[in-house]
Amino acid sequence: MAVFAETDGPLRPRQLGQALDMPILPKHTEGIRAKLKRLVDRSILAEAEPGLFTQLRP
């Protein structure tokens, strides 16, 4: 969540992985994407466009 707070725009799962110093492999990127989708389902994040995730702003 700190990475989203530091950015102004939406992030792709790959960009989030890079910000968290994770290896950029398809299996890691897909895992991040799945977790981000779960956060969207719980109304913690929003999906601005398919594949672009952003923090909900009050």
PDB file of all heavy atoms in Angstrom, residues 14-39:
ATOM      1  N   ARG A  14       3.568  -5.489 -12.924  1.00  0.00           N
ATOM      2  CA  ARG A  14       5.017  -5.534 -13.165  1.00  0.00           C
ATOM      3  C   ARG A  14       5.715  -4.347 -12.502  1.00  0.00           C
ATOM      4  O   ARG A  14       6.781  -4.492 -11.902  1.00  0.00           O
ATOM      5  CB  ARG A  14       5.280  -5.553 -14.666  1.00  0.00           C
ATOM      6  CG  ARG A  14       6.743  -5.628 -15.027  1.00  0.00           C
ATOM      7  CD  ARG A  14       6.905  -5.636 -16.545  1.00  0.00           C
ATOM      8  NE  ARG A  14       8.292  -5.675 -16.902  1.00  0.00           N
ATOM      9  CZ  ARG A  14       8.935  -6.770 -17.278  1.00  0.00           C
ATOM     10  NH1 ARG A  14       8.282  -7.906 -17.371  1.00  0.00           N
ATOM     11  NH2 ARG A  14      10.212  -6.718 -17.577  1.00  0.00           N
ATOM     12  N   GLN A  15       5.124  -3.157 -12.596  1.00  0.00           N
ATOM     13  CA  GLN A  15       5.701  -1.965 -11.974  1.00  0.00           C
ATOM     14  C   GLN A  15       5.723  -2.100 -10.456  1.00  0.00           C
ATOM     15  O   GLN A  15       6.678  -1.688  -9.800  1.00  0.00           O
ATOM     16  CB  GLN A  15       4.908  -0.719 -12.358  1.00  0.00           C
ATOM     17  CG  GLN A  15       4.985  -0.369 -13.820  1.00  0.00           C
ATOM     18  CD  GLN A  15       3.999   0.717 -14.203  1.00  0.00           C
ATOM     19  OE1 GLN A  15       2.837   0.670 -13.798  1.00  0.00           O
ATOM     20  NE2 GLN A  15       4.461   1.685 -14.973  1.00  0.00           N
ATOM     21  N   LEU A  16       4.673  -2.669  -9.898  1.00  0.00           N
ATOM     22  CA  LEU A  16       4.617  -2.885  -8.453  1.00  0.00           C
ATOM     23  C   LEU A  16       5.701  -3.872  -8.021  1.00  0.00           C
ATOM     24  O   LEU A  16       6.378  -3.656  -7.021  1.00  0.00           O
ATOM     25  CB  LEU A  16       3.239  -3.389  -8.035  1.00  0.00           C
ATOM     26  CG  LEU A  16       3.025  -3.563  -6.546  1.00  0.00           C
ATOM     27  CD1 LEU A  16       3.216  -2.258  -5.795  1.00  0.00           C
ATOM     28  CD2 LEU A  16       1.654  -4.136  -6.279  1.00  0.00           C
ATOM     29  N   GLY A  17       5.892  -4.922  -8.790  1.00  0.00           N
ATOM     30  CA  GLY A  17       6.948  -5.889  -8.499  1.00  0.00           C
ATOM     31  C   GLY A  17       8.325  -5.248  -8.529  1.00  0.00           C
ATOM     32  O   GLY A  17       9.171  -5.532  -7.674  1.00  0.00           O
ATOM     33  N   GLN A  18       8.560  -4.384  -9.506  1.00  0.00           N
ATOM     34  CA  GLN A  18       9.840  -3.680  -9.586  1.00  0.00           C
ATOM     35  C   GLN A  18      10.032  -2.764  -8.381  1.00  0.00           C
ATOM     36  O   GLN A  18      11.122  -2.675  -7.833  1.00  0.00           O
ATOM     37  CB  GLN A  18       9.920  -2.865 -10.875  1.00  0.00           C
ATOM     38  CG  GLN A  18      10.089  -3.708 -12.105  1.00  0.00           C
ATOM     39  CD  GLN A  18       9.992  -2.899 -13.379  1.00  0.00           C
ATOM     40  OE1 GLN A  18       9.372  -1.848 -13.419  1.00  0.00           O
ATOM     41  NE2 GLN A  18      10.605  -3.406 -14.441  1.00  0.00           N
ATOM     42  N   ALA A  19       8.968  -2.078  -7.965  1.00  0.00           N
ATOM     43  CA  ALA A  19       9.053  -1.187  -6.808  1.00  0.00           C
ATOM     44  C   ALA A  19       9.336  -1.963  -5.523  1.00  0.00           C
ATOM     45  O   ALA A  19       9.961  -1.437  -4.604  1.00  0.00           O
ATOM     46  CB  ALA A  19       7.770  -0.384  -6.669  1.00  0.00           C
ATOM     47  N   LEU A  20       8.896  -3.204  -5.466  1.00  0.00           N
ATOM     48  CA  LEU A  20       9.112  -4.054  -4.287  1.00  0.00           C
ATOM     49  C   LEU A  20      10.372  -4.907  -4.412  1.00  0.00           C
ATOM     50  O   LEU A  20      10.610  -5.785  -3.584  1.00  0.00           O
ATOM     51  CB  LEU A  20       7.886  -4.948  -4.061  1.00  0.00           C
ATOM     52  CG  LEU A  20       6.596  -4.214  -3.750  1.00  0.00           C
ATOM     53  CD1 LEU A  20       5.428  -5.192  -3.715  1.00  0.00           C
ATOM     54  CD2 LEU A  20       6.704  -3.455  -2.448  1.00  0.00           C
ATOM     55  N   ASP A  21      11.178  -4.675  -5.458  1.00  0.00           N
ATOM     56  CA  ASP A  21      12.424  -5.413  -5.710  1.00  0.00           C
ATOM     57  C   ASP A  21      12.210  -6.913  -5.834  1.00  0.00           C
ATOM     58  O   ASP A  21      13.007  -7.714  -5.350  1.00  0.00           O
ATOM     59  CB  ASP A  21      13.464  -5.126  -4.618  1.00  0.00           C
ATOM     60  CG  ASP A  21      13.950  -3.689  -4.660  1.00  0.00           C
ATOM     61  OD1 ASP A  21      14.033  -3.130  -5.777  1.00  0.00           O
ATOM     62  OD2 ASP A  21      14.238  -3.130  -3.598  1.00  0.00           O
ATOM     63  N   MET A  22      11.112  -7.302  -6.464  1.00  0.00           N
ATOM     64  CA  MET A  22      10.842  -8.709  -6.724  1.00  0.00           C
ATOM     65  C   MET A  22      11.406  -9.074  -8.095  1.00  0.00           C
ATOM     66  O   MET A  22      11.510  -8.210  -8.966  1.00  0.00           O
ATOM     67  CB  MET A  22       9.341  -8.982  -6.699  1.00  0.00           C
ATOM     68  CG  MET A  22       8.710  -8.760  -5.345  1.00  0.00           C
ATOM     69  SD  MET A  22       6.955  -9.091  -5.356  1.00  0.00           S
ATOM     70  CE  MET A  22       6.964 -10.860  -5.536  1.00  0.00           C
ATOM     71  N   PRO A  23      11.759 -10.340  -8.314  1.00  0.00           N
ATOM     72  CA  PRO A  23      12.211 -10.748  -9.640  1.00  0.00           C
ATOM     73  C   PRO A  23      11.080 -10.564 -10.659  1.00  0.00           C
ATOM     74  O   PRO A  23       9.916 -10.817 -10.354  1.00  0.00           O
ATOM     75  CB  PRO A  23      12.552 -12.230  -9.489  1.00  0.00           C
ATOM     76  CG  PRO A  23      12.486 -12.529  -8.041  1.00  0.00           C
ATOM     77  CD  PRO A  23      11.764 -11.424  -7.360  1.00  0.00           C
ATOM     78  N   ILE A  24      11.435 -10.120 -11.844  1.00  0.00           N
ATOM     79  CA  ILE A  24      10.437  -9.882 -12.878  1.00  0.00           C
ATOM     80  C   ILE A  24      10.315 -11.158 -13.721  1.00  0.00           C
ATOM     81  O   ILE A  24      10.920 -11.301 -14.769  1.00  0.00           O
ATOM     82  CB  ILE A  24      10.823  -8.672 -13.759  1.00  0.00           C
ATOM     83  CG1 ILE A  24      11.051  -7.446 -12.889  1.00  0.00           C
ATOM     84  CG2 ILE A  24       9.750  -8.398 -14.796  1.00  0.00           C
ATOM     85  CD1 ILE A  24       9.857  -7.055 -12.027  1.00  0.00           C
ATOM     86  N   LEU A  25       9.549 -12.076 -13.204  1.00  0.00           N
ATOM     87  CA  LEU A  25       9.249 -13.328 -13.889  1.00  0.00           C
ATOM     88  C   LEU A  25       7.740 -13.415 -14.055  1.00  0.00           C
ATOM     89  O   LEU A  25       6.993 -12.896 -13.218  1.00  0.00           O
ATOM     90  CB  LEU A  25       9.744 -14.524 -13.078  1.00  0.00           C
ATOM     91  CG  LEU A  25      11.254 -14.608 -12.839  1.00  0.00           C
ATOM     92  CD1 LEU A  25      11.567 -15.709 -11.849  1.00  0.00           C
ATOM     93  CD2 LEU A  25      11.990 -14.828 -14.146  1.00  0.00           C
ATOM     94  N   PRO A  26       7.276 -14.067 -15.114  1.00  0.00           N
ATOM     95  CA  PRO A  26       5.819 -14.167 -15.313  1.00  0.00           C
ATOM     96  C   PRO A  26       5.069 -14.732 -14.118  1.00  0.00           C
ATOM     97  O   PRO A  26       3.989 -14.255 -13.785  1.00  0.00           O
ATOM     98  CB  PRO A  26       5.698 -15.073 -16.535  1.00  0.00           C
ATOM     99  CG  PRO A  26       6.969 -14.886 -17.277  1.00  0.00           C
ATOM    100  CD  PRO A  26       8.015 -14.668 -16.211  1.00  0.00           C
ATOM    101  N   LYS A  27       5.626 -15.726 -13.438  1.00  0.00           N
ATOM    102  CA  LYS A  27       4.905 -16.319 -12.303  1.00  0.00           C
ATOM    103  C   LYS A  27       4.773 -15.322 -11.157  1.00  0.00           C
ATOM    104  O   LYS A  27       3.754 -15.305 -10.467  1.00  0.00           O
ATOM    105  CB  LYS A  27       5.571 -17.608 -11.835  1.00  0.00           C
ATOM    106  CG  LYS A  27       6.941 -17.442 -11.232  1.00  0.00           C
ATOM    107  CD  LYS A  27       7.501 -18.779 -10.782  1.00  0.00           C
ATOM    108  CE  LYS A  27       8.858 -18.609 -10.140  1.00  0.00           C
ATOM    109  NZ  LYS A  27       9.392 -19.874  -9.680  1.00  0.00           N
ATOM    110  N   HIS A  28       5.766 -14.461 -10.951  1.00  0.00           N
ATOM    111  CA  HIS A  28       5.673 -13.446  -9.907  1.00  0.00           C
ATOM    112  C   HIS A  28       4.679 -12.361 -10.291  1.00  0.00           C
ATOM    113  O   HIS A  28       3.894 -11.903  -9.461  1.00  0.00           O
ATOM    114  CB  HIS A  28       7.042 -12.827  -9.621  1.00  0.00           C
ATOM    115  CG  HIS A  28       8.023 -13.784  -9.050  1.00  0.00           C
ATOM    116  ND1 HIS A  28       7.958 -14.250  -7.757  1.00  0.00           N
ATOM    117  CD2 HIS A  28       9.100 -14.394  -9.600  1.00  0.00           C
ATOM    118  CE1 HIS A  28       8.940 -15.093  -7.531  1.00  0.00           C
ATOM    119  NE2 HIS A  28       9.654 -15.208  -8.648  1.00  0.00           N
ATOM    120  N   THR A  29       4.721 -11.948 -11.547  1.00  0.00           N
ATOM    121  CA  THR A  29       3.806 -10.912 -12.018  1.00  0.00           C
ATOM    122  C   THR A  29       2.359 -11.391 -11.936  1.00  0.00           C
ATOM    123  O   THR A  29       1.477 -10.635 -11.525  1.00  0.00           O
ATOM    124  CB  THR A  29       4.158 -10.514 -13.472  1.00  0.00           C
ATOM    125  OG1 THR A  29       5.528 -10.097 -13.503  1.00  0.00           O
ATOM    126  CG2 THR A  29       3.296  -9.384 -13.962  1.00  0.00           C
ATOM    127  N   GLU A  30       2.092 -12.632 -12.297  1.00  0.00           N
ATOM    128  CA  GLU A  30       0.736 -13.170 -12.219  1.00  0.00           C
ATOM    129  C   GLU A  30       0.274 -13.296 -10.769  1.00  0.00           C
ATOM    130  O   GLU A  30      -0.893 -13.075 -10.461  1.00  0.00           O
ATOM    131  CB  GLU A  30       0.647 -14.521 -12.926  1.00  0.00           C
ATOM    132  CG  GLU A  30       0.653 -14.401 -14.433  1.00  0.00           C
ATOM    133  CD  GLU A  30      -0.491 -13.547 -14.949  1.00  0.00           C
ATOM    134  OE1 GLU A  30      -1.647 -13.755 -14.530  1.00  0.00           O
ATOM    135  OE2 GLU A  30      -0.228 -12.655 -15.766  1.00  0.00           O
ATOM    136  N   GLY A  31       1.185 -13.636  -9.875  1.00  0.00           N
ATOM    137  CA  GLY A  31       0.830 -13.696  -8.454  1.00  0.00           C
ATOM    138  C   GLY A  31       0.461 -12.328  -7.910  1.00  0.00           C
ATOM    139  O   GLY A  31      -0.502 -12.183  -7.155  1.00  0.00           O
ATOM    140  N   ILE A  32       1.211 -11.317  -8.303  1.00  0.00           N
ATOM    141  CA  ILE A  32       0.905  -9.950  -7.885  1.00  0.00           C
ATOM    142  C   ILE A  32      -0.443  -9.529  -8.453  1.00  0.00           C
ATOM    143  O   ILE A  32      -1.261  -8.934  -7.752  1.00  0.00           O
ATOM    144  CB  ILE A  32       2.021  -8.981  -8.339  1.00  0.00           C
ATOM    145  CG1 ILE A  32       3.320  -9.271  -7.598  1.00  0.00           C
ATOM    146  CG2 ILE A  32       1.596  -7.531  -8.122  1.00  0.00           C
ATOM    147  CD1 ILE A  32       4.524  -8.541  -8.154  1.00  0.00           C
ATOM    148  N   ARG A  33      -0.686  -9.849  -9.723  1.00  0.00           N
ATOM    149  CA  ARG A  33      -1.949  -9.478 -10.358  1.00  0.00           C
ATOM    150  C   ARG A  33      -3.125 -10.109  -9.637  1.00  0.00           C
ATOM    151  O   ARG A  33      -4.142  -9.462  -9.372  1.00  0.00           O
ATOM    152  CB  ARG A  33      -1.961  -9.889 -11.837  1.00  0.00           C
ATOM    153  CG  ARG A  33      -3.199  -9.395 -12.578  1.00  0.00           C
ATOM    154  CD  ARG A  33      -3.344 -10.070 -13.925  1.00  0.00           C
ATOM    155  NE  ARG A  33      -3.537 -11.502 -13.813  1.00  0.00           N
ATOM    156  CZ  ARG A  33      -4.676 -12.097 -13.442  1.00  0.00           C
ATOM    157  NH1 ARG A  33      -5.725 -11.395 -13.141  1.00  0.00           N
ATOM    158  NH2 ARG A  33      -4.754 -13.410 -13.376  1.00  0.00           N
ATOM    159  N   ALA A  34      -2.988 -11.375  -9.263  1.00  0.00           N
ATOM    160  CA  ALA A  34      -4.066 -12.065  -8.555  1.00  0.00           C
ATOM    161  C   ALA A  34      -4.338 -11.417  -7.192  1.00  0.00           C
ATOM    162  O   ALA A  34      -5.491 -11.242  -6.802  1.00  0.00           O
ATOM    163  CB  ALA A  34      -3.715 -13.540  -8.377  1.00  0.00           C
ATOM    164  N   LYS A  35      -3.281 -11.033  -6.489  1.00  0.00           N
ATOM    165  CA  LYS A  35      -3.458 -10.375  -5.196  1.00  0.00           C
ATOM    166  C   LYS A  35      -4.102  -9.004  -5.356  1.00  0.00           C
ATOM    167  O   LYS A  35      -4.954  -8.609  -4.556  1.00  0.00           O
ATOM    168  CB  LYS A  35      -2.120 -10.259  -4.484  1.00  0.00           C
ATOM    169  CG  LYS A  35      -1.611 -11.602  -4.015  1.00  0.00           C
ATOM    170  CD  LYS A  35      -0.234 -11.516  -3.429  1.00  0.00           C
ATOM    171  CE  LYS A  35       0.200 -12.934  -3.054  1.00  0.00           C
ATOM    172  NZ  LYS A  35       1.602 -13.151  -3.152  1.00  0.00           N
ATOM    173  N   LEU A  36      -3.701  -8.280  -6.391  1.00  0.00           N
ATOM    174  CA  LEU A  36      -4.307  -6.971  -6.641  1.00  0.00           C
ATOM    175  C   LEU A  36      -5.789  -7.116  -6.977  1.00  0.00           C
ATOM    176  O   LEU A  36      -6.610  -6.307  -6.539  1.00  0.00           O
ATOM    177  CB  LEU A  36      -3.564  -6.250  -7.773  1.00  0.00           C
ATOM    178  CG  LEU A  36      -2.140  -5.804  -7.445  1.00  0.00           C
ATOM    179  CD1 LEU A  36      -1.443  -5.299  -8.707  1.00  0.00           C
ATOM    180  CD2 LEU A  36      -2.120  -4.764  -6.361  1.00  0.00           C
ATOM    181  N   LYS A  37      -6.147  -8.147  -7.747  1.00  0.00           N
ATOM    182  CA  LYS A  37      -7.561  -8.396  -8.075  1.00  0.00           C
ATOM    183  C   LYS A  37      -8.374  -8.665  -6.811  1.00  0.00           C
ATOM    184  O   LYS A  37      -9.511  -8.220  -6.683  1.00  0.00           O
ATOM    185  CB  LYS A  37      -7.699  -9.577  -9.032  1.00  0.00           C
ATOM    186  CG  LYS A  37      -7.249  -9.305 -10.441  1.00  0.00           C
ATOM    187  CD  LYS A  37      -8.333  -8.578 -11.175  1.00  0.00           C
ATOM    188  CE  LYS A  37      -8.045  -8.596 -12.666  1.00  0.00           C
ATOM    189  NZ  LYS A  37      -9.063  -7.866 -13.396  1.00  0.00           N
ATOM    190  N   ARG A  38      -7.778  -9.411  -5.862  1.00  0.00           N
ATOM    191  CA  ARG A  38      -8.469  -9.669  -4.598  1.00  0.00           C
ATOM    192  C   ARG A  38      -8.690  -8.379  -3.817  1.00  0.00           C
ATOM    193  O   ARG A  38      -9.739  -8.190  -3.204  1.00  0.00           O
ATOM    194  CB  ARG A  38      -7.680 -10.665  -3.743  1.00  0.00           C
ATOM    195  CG  ARG A  38      -7.956 -12.095  -4.149  1.00  0.00           C
ATOM    196  CD  ARG A  38      -7.303 -13.064  -3.202  1.00  0.00           C
ATOM    197  NE  ARG A  38      -6.320 -13.767  -4.022  1.00  0.00           N
ATOM    198  CZ  ARG A  38      -5.090 -14.061  -3.669  1.00  0.00           C
ATOM    199  NH1 ARG A  38      -4.639 -13.746  -2.486  1.00  0.00           N
ATOM    200  NH2 ARG A  38      -4.291 -14.692  -4.487  1.00  0.00           N
ATOM    201  N   LEU A  39      -7.706  -7.486  -3.851  1.00  0.00           N
ATOM    202  CA  LEU A  39      -7.859  -6.204  -3.159  1.00  0.00           C
ATOM    203  C   LEU A  39      -8.924  -5.342  -3.833  1.00  0.00           C
ATOM    204  O   LEU A  39      -9.625  -4.591  -3.162  1.00  0.00           O
ATOM    205  CB  LEU A  39      -6.517  -5.474  -3.105  1.00  0.00           C
ATOM    206  CG  LEU A  39      -5.465  -6.116  -2.197  1.00  0.00           C
ATOM    207  CD1 LEU A  39      -4.125  -5.403  -2.354  1.00  0.00           C
ATOM    208  CD2 LEU A  39      -5.910  -6.106  -0.753  1.00  0.00           C
TER     209      LEU A  39
END
